[in-house]
């Protein structure tokens, strides 16, 4: 392979990455193969887009017109935007009601979630089901997603660059679901949705934030509650606040009642 062909292949690879990131429009319009004479072997007809530059799986963070939440999830399931795809077993898009008025957002899939391809299915998930039930909902009435959709190895925290790469997908989920209230689980999602990355949970709990017009309430991650049961009381108070904000925002009635000691 001569130097020009090699350069062309590098350029094509770069363009494919832009395409995956939904940024191809920045450059593709200005590409002219006449500027790449060494590319002729890969593109037999000069002036026509070569095979290598054709979009691969379309992985832009934007839904197609009329695309359902489920179809969007299926389309991005083979994402390789960040290194987390290398160690995942299954991509974990989210689960629940596609038009839920309440959306729970954790940090990233754990080992069991990675195995099953579903969010919050391990011990933390069982506790989350109880937390959701304490304010009258079943898991089918709400929606659950994570900041990143592939498991960080060894259950480490997701890195800022991984959150940044995955962020477009979560924003599209928000756009398609259109919740009235977001409940964040753990400090990563709390910091992000309150616009205070790195803030401590104690500074964000009890606050009613707003993210693109959607109310935000924050509580502990269920995994943290499993490690420290003293925080369960605080979590219940956070959930009462979330339910109050939900009712004030006109959220649909739940199938169950809010748990209060004695009822
Ligand atoms: S974590 Fe998100 S951005 Fe990274 S590979 Fe998985 S789906 Fe893609």
């Amino acid at each position: 392979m001569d130097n020009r062909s090699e350069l062309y292949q590098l350029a094509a690879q770069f363009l494919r990455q832009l395409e995956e990131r939904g940024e191809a429009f920045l450059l593709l319009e200005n590409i002219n193969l006449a500027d790449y004479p060494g590319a002729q072997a890969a593109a037999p007809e000069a002036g026509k887009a070569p095979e290598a530059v054709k979009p691969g799986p379309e992985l832009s963070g934007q839904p197609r017109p009329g695309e359902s939440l489920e179809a969007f999830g299926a389309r991005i399931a083979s994402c390789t935007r960040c290194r987390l795809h290398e160690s995942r077993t299954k991509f974990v898009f989210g689960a629940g009601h596609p038009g839920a008025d309440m959306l729970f957002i954790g940090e990233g899939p754990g080992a069991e979630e990675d195995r099953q391809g579903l969010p919050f299915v391990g011990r933390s998930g069982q506790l989350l089901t109880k937390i959701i039930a304490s304010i009258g909902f079943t898991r089918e009435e709400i929606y659950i997603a994570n900041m990143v959709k592939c498991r960080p190895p060894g259950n480490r925290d997701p890195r800022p660059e991984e959150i940044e790469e995955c962020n477009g997908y979560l924003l599209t989920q928000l756009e398609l679901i259109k919740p009235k209230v977001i409940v964040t689980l753990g400090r990563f999602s709390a910091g992000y949705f309150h616009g205070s990355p790195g803030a401590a949970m104690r500074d964000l709990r009890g606050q009613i934030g707003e993210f693109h017009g959607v109310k935000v309430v924050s509580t502990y991650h269920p995994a943290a509650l499993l490690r420290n049961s003293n925080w369960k009381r605080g979590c219940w108070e956070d959930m009462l606040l979330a339910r109050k904000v939900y009712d004030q925002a006109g959220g649909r009635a739940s199938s169950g009642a809010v748990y209060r000691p004695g009822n």
Side-chain angles (χ1 to χ4, degrees), residues 79-82 84-85 88 91 148-150 162 165-166 169:
C79 176
T80 56
R81 279 188 187 185
C82 82
L84 294 182
H85 81 276
R88 76 177 168 220
F91 165 88
V148 293
K149 312 215 171 296
C150 304
E162 293 159 353
E165 288 295 343
C166 215
Y169 297 151

Side-chain angles (χ1 to χ4, degrees), residues 134-155:
S134 77
I135 52 168
F137 293 99
T138 64
R139 283 177 69 129
E140 291 71 34
E141 292 172 308
I142 52 90
Y143 196 89
I144 307 171
N146 279 308
M147 297 290 291
V148 293
K149 312 215 171 296
C150 304
R151 182 191 181 211
N155 282 352

Side-chain angles (χ1 to χ4, degrees), residues 170-250:
L170 184 57
L171 296 182
T172 299
Q173 282 178 296
L174 265 172
E175 210 175 288
L176 291 169
I177 297 168
K178 296 186 175 49
K180 295 189 186 308
V181 178
I182 294 169
V183 180
T184 67
L185 303 166
R187 74 186 170 91
F188 275 95
S189 51
Y192 177 79
F193 283 98
H194 281 279
S196 305
M201 277 304 297
R202 65 177 171 276
D203 296 328
L204 299 177
R205 288 186 48 242
Q207 308 267 351
I208 301 170
E210 198 160 311
F211 184 87
H212 292 272
V214 183
K215 301 289 181 200
V216 178
V217 175
S218 296
T219 194
Y220 301 106
H221 194 285
L225 295 175
L226 288 173
R227 291 192 298 270
N228 191 340
S229 59
N230 292 335
W231 290 347
K232 286 186 179 172
R233 167 98 202 174
C235 175
W236 178 57
E237 289 166 358
D238 298 336
M239 293 310 296
L240 289 179
L241 175 63
R243 178 66 201 237
K244 187 174 162 191
V245 172
Y246 177 92
D247 290 337
Q248 286 172 347

Side-chain angles (χ1 to χ4, degrees), residues 28-181:
L28 281 178
E29 284 179 6
N30 299 324
I31 290 291
N32 182 353
L33 278 187
D35 298 333
Y36 294 87
Q40 303 312 322
E45 290 177 59
K48 209 173 166 189
E51 280 295 313
V53 183
K54 276 187 184 165
E58 194 182 330
L59 294 174
S60 94
Q62 298 300 312
R64 291 172 176 160
E67 189 170 40
S68 69
L69 184 68
E70 191 183 358
F72 174 65
R75 181 161 61 82
I76 63 167
S78 56
C79 176
T80 56
R81 279 188 187 185
C82 82
R83 295 195 65 175
L84 294 182
H85 81 276
E86 292 170 3
S87 51
R88 76 177 168 220
T89 307
K90 285 192 175 164
F91 165 88
V92 183
F93 183 60
H97 194 299
D101 285 337
M102 185 175 277
L103 173 59
F104 287 77
I105 302 181
E107 295 172 356
E112 197 51 40
E113 288 78 17
D114 179 59
R115 237 187 317 275
Q116 295 193 33
L118 292 167
F120 285 95
V121 286
R123 282 182 66 219
S124 298
Q126 289 164 10
L127 180 54
L128 181 60
T129 303
K130 290 181 186 165
I131 291 169
I132 290 166
S134 77
I135 52 168
F137 293 99
T138 64
R139 283 177 69 129
E140 291 71 34
E141 292 172 308
I142 52 90
Y143 196 89
I144 307 171
N146 279 308
M147 297 290 291
V148 293
K149 312 215 171 296
C150 304
R151 182 191 181 211
N155 282 352
R156 67 161 166 77
D157 292 335
R159 295 185 175 135
E161 65 273 18
E162 293 159 353
I163 292 176
E164 198 177 314
E165 288 295 343
C166 215
N167 195 28
Y169 297 151
L170 184 57
L171 296 182
T172 299
Q173 282 178 296
L174 265 172
E175 210 175 288
L176 291 169
I177 297 168
K178 296 186 175 49
K180 295 189 186 308
V181 178

